[in-house]
Amino acid sequence: MMAAWREREAGFTLIEAIVALALMGLVLSALASITAQWLPNWNRGIDRIQRDEAIGAALQRIAADLAAAEYVPANRESRRPLFDGSELSITFVRTAIGPNAGPGLDVVHLGETSDRREFVTVRSRTRFAPLPTGSSLTEQLRFRDPVVLLRAPFRLSFAYAGPDRVWKSTWREAEQLPVMIKLTIRDAASQRVLSVSTIAPVHTQVPSDCTRPDGNCTDKPNNPGSSGPANAAGQGGRL
């Protein structure tokens, strides 16, 4: 009799096994549905964080470059700093930096170029040397060491402001450097301006001679800061 009772109590019936499998299938199906809805949002969140970090790092590097812009004329005959700014590119002079850079100055170019049919923002440089009188920047400067800072679909644009705090899309042939440079990042598809856009202050606006206690820019005809607007607007040299 004990043997018969054990035979009746041991294991599962076929119906019980089918019900257990059905319940397991429902649980797995529910988990798969939840994961399918949650995982893409998670991936989009991770991609957004990585994108913002990459854009933020690029803007920090660009802002540090622009803040270090120097008032350096193209040659002895020029009274204006070597600075050429447009909406999509900018060329300026700064102290050379980098592991292999010796003492001296670099001419830095920040701007767009095409890479595999996409626009990318690239930083390139060349060693500064006085330019021949009457020559253009594009004719004399040959930039090298390109570094990609920003890739599609994001595009970088510049705007410039002087002491009057009025923004302009270009800054060329000016008597002084801009006080501030606005860095605007847009999504090329939607033209939406990203919140990571920022403003970079430029520390120097006039030649170093104008900041010396015994310096007198107006008495030096070959001094880049001798012109009235630059000297009057930029006394002190630093913001």
Side-chain angles (χ1 to χ4, degrees), residues 57-69 83-94 97 106-113 120-126 137 141 143-150 156-158 160 172 181-183 200 202:
L59 287 180
Q60 286 180 359
R61 178 167 185 179
I62 294 172
D65 263 339
L66 296 175
F83 188 97
D84 185 86
S86 67
E87 189 173 4
L88 296 178
S89 67
I90 183 171
T91 302
F92 59 97
V93 180
R94 64 152 299 163
I97 58 172
D106 276 348
V107 182
V108 177
H109 177 79
L110 301 169
E112 282 190 341
T113 185
V120 294
T121 301
V122 175
R123 179 193 192 272
S124 53
R125 54 167 291 277
T126 188
L137 296 180
L141 298 178
F143 295 100
R144 60 180 188 276
D145 302 332
V147 177
V148 176
L149 300 176
L150 199 65
L156 172 65
S157 62
F158 303 94
Y160 314 88
R172 292 190 172 104
I181 301 176
K182 183 189 298 184
L183 309 176
V202 179

Side-chain angles (χ1 to χ4, degrees), residues 71 176-177 204-208 210-211 225 230-231 233-238:
Y71 193 115
Q176 65 187 86
L177 296 176
T204 303
Q205 277 78 51
V206 298
S208 58
C210 296
T211 63
N231 190 31
Q235 284 296 334
R238 296 185 181 272

Side-chain angles (χ1 to χ4, degrees), residues 137-219:
L137 296 180
T138 56
E139 292 174 346
Q140 298 297 326
L141 298 178
R142 297 293 180 265
F143 295 100
R144 60 180 188 276
D145 302 332
V147 177
V148 176
L149 300 176
L150 199 65
R151 290 190 174 275
F154 306 109
R155 302 186 72 178
L156 172 65
S157 62
F158 303 94
Y160 314 88
D164 55 3
R165 301 300 196 269
V166 176
W167 292 109
K168 304 175 182 178
S169 60
T170 61
W171 193 277
R172 292 190 172 104
E173 299 297 325
E175 298 292 339
Q176 65 187 86
L177 296 176
V179 174
M180 298 179 295
I181 301 176
K182 183 189 298 184
L183 309 176
T184 303
I185 302 291
R186 286 185 174 85
D187 187 309
S190 64
Q191 295 301 313
R192 180 175 62 91
V193 176
L194 304 188
S195 60
V196 293
S197 301
T198 186
I199 294 175
V202 179
H203 296 316
T204 303
Q205 277 78 51
V206 298
S208 58
D209 289 346
C210 296
T211 63
R212 298 176 183 173
D214 58 345
N216 187 356
C217 299
T218 57
D219 293 338

